[in-house]
Amino acid sequence: AEMALLRLAQRLLGPSSGPGVAALCLFASRPDELHVVEMSEAVSVVPLGIARAEVEAVFEHAREVAGLPRGAADGAPLPLERLTFALETALSVGVPAEAAALERIDMTRLSTALQRLAPPGKGGRASPQQFRVTVMQAEPFLTRDQLEWLMMLTD
């Protein structure tokens, strides 16, 4: 959820002068708050850097960062001022430590290993187990947490 919230923050508030949280107001039933269903609709229509499947986790994480109790499953709204605070916090914190470690991966070696997984013309699909084994062989110094992070990001 941290990375997804960061991606959302980069799209809405990033250095490229994103549209800001105001873009989400177009989908909100009230001008000062957003429900998880409304965020899902926004993600479906506007390229905000997160998938529909991530919306509930991002919404809950934003509530937590903003100091609010969990409540997306109960339909509790997230005030837009608190969402803005959570997005600004995500931008200031930046990439989580687990993800930062992944920046040291030798992408050439990993790419070559992953290309051998699927025969030509098969669309490059591999089972999660095949992917995991290939990554572990190509990057033997990844910790268990880093491997889990990579698996989560590519799922």
Side-chain angles (χ1 to χ4, degrees), residues 50-110:
I50 62 173
R52 281 183 65 101
E54 296 175 298
V55 169
E56 191 168 327
V58 167
F59 198 84
E60 288 294 353
H61 187 66
R63 288 182 64 82
E64 187 178 308
V65 170
L68 298 171
R70 293 191 161 278
D74 299 331
L78 177 60
L80 289 176
E81 68 180 39
R82 297 297 204 137
L83 176 59
T84 301
F85 173 77
L87 293 170
E88 289 170 347
T89 300
L91 273 179
S92 68
V93 169
V95 177
E98 296 90 346
L102 297 178
E103 292 177 355
R104 294 189 298 264
I105 290 176
D106 181 349
M107 293 307 289
T108 304
R109 182 175 54 212
L110 181 58

Side-chain angles (χ1 to χ4, degrees), residues 4-41:
L5 185 63
L6 177 60
R7 289 193 316 267
L8 180 62
Q10 290 170 333
R11 290 288 171 95
L12 291 175
L13 308 175
S16 63
S17 300
V21 177
L24 297 176
C25 290
L26 299 171
F27 301 91
S29 56
R30 294 192 48 194
D32 59 341
E33 64 185 28
L34 189 69
H35 289 83
V36 72
V37 174
E38 296 164 342
M39 185 181 269
S40 290
E41 185 179 336

